[in-house]
């Protein structure tokens, strides 16, 4: 049976995406946290996500920077990337009680909650103040600080993340648990 052209393109894109992820995951330079054999009693414990699924929908590279400016009446948008970058899109599903684990990113992230509620905490916030985002709301991260996203409700929450990162870099950097938050 012949495969239609759009289906072949979709299959090729999926194959290419999985190949890129496999190569990135097999590269020891891309490690985001220490291996268990290198941990000592005094070393920080890194936190993995629990109850969180996050398939990568796609990742594309820009061989050059970006200057994007648009003005529409009083509304104005301006984005400037001086260097090449990768743009990745990820779908996230937080099960009830699930969380991302403490982590940071090599660049900014825009996260839109598409259903349910996700609560975010910043590691450098001494009061561990929750930032609650519900369906239709946006959470913006510079990526510089360690943070965690948690589903503290009894229903599933979903989100779409758009990650800007240096070309070929890991999209997530595992971090030790925050001493400011009791969980």
């Amino acid at each position: 049976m012949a495969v239609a052209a759009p289906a072949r393109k979709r299959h090729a894109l999926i194959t290419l995406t999985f190949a890129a992820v496999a190569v990135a995951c097999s590269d020891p330079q891309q490690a985001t946290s220490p291996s268990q054999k290198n941990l000592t009693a005094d070393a920080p414990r890194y936190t993995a996500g629990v109850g969180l699924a996050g398939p990568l929908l796609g990742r594309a590279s820009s061989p050059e920077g970006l200057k994007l400016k648009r003005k529409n009446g009083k509304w104005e948008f301006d984005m400037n990337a001086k260097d090449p970058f990768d743009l990745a899109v990820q779908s996230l599903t937080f099960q009830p009680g699930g969380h991302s684990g403490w982590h940071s990113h090599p660049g900014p992230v825009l996260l839109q909650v598409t259903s349910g509620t996700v609560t975010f905490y910043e590691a450098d916030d001494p009061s561990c103040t929750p930032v609650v985002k519900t369906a239709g709301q946006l959470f913006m991260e510079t990526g510089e600080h360690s943070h965690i996203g948690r589903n503290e409700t009894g229903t599933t929450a979903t989100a779409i993340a758009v990650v800007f990162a240096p070309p070929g870099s890991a999209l997530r950097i595992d971090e030790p648990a925050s001493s400011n938050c009791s969980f």
Side-chain angles (χ1 to χ4, degrees), residues 18-82:
F18 281 116
V21 170
V23 168
C25 291
S26 66
D27 183 354
Q29 297 298 322
Q30 295 294 327
T32 59
S33 62
S35 66
Q36 290 295 329
K37 68 182 179 182
N38 293 331
L39 293 177
T40 65
D42 297 332
R45 299 294 178 189
Y46 293 82
T47 59
V50 173
L52 175 65
L56 185 65
L57 300 177
R59 183 172 181 162
S61 295
S62 169
E64 55 198 41
L66 169 74
K67 178 67 175 160
L68 181 64
K69 187 169 186 172
R70 173 70 198 266
K71 188 169 184 177
N72 185 357
K74 292 182 180 181
W75 181 82
E76 189 172 330
F77 180 85
D78 192 359
M79 179 186 282
N80 187 16
K82 294 182 181 186

Side-chain angles (χ1 to χ4, degrees), residues 67 110 114:
K67 178 67 175 160
L110 304 175
T114 53

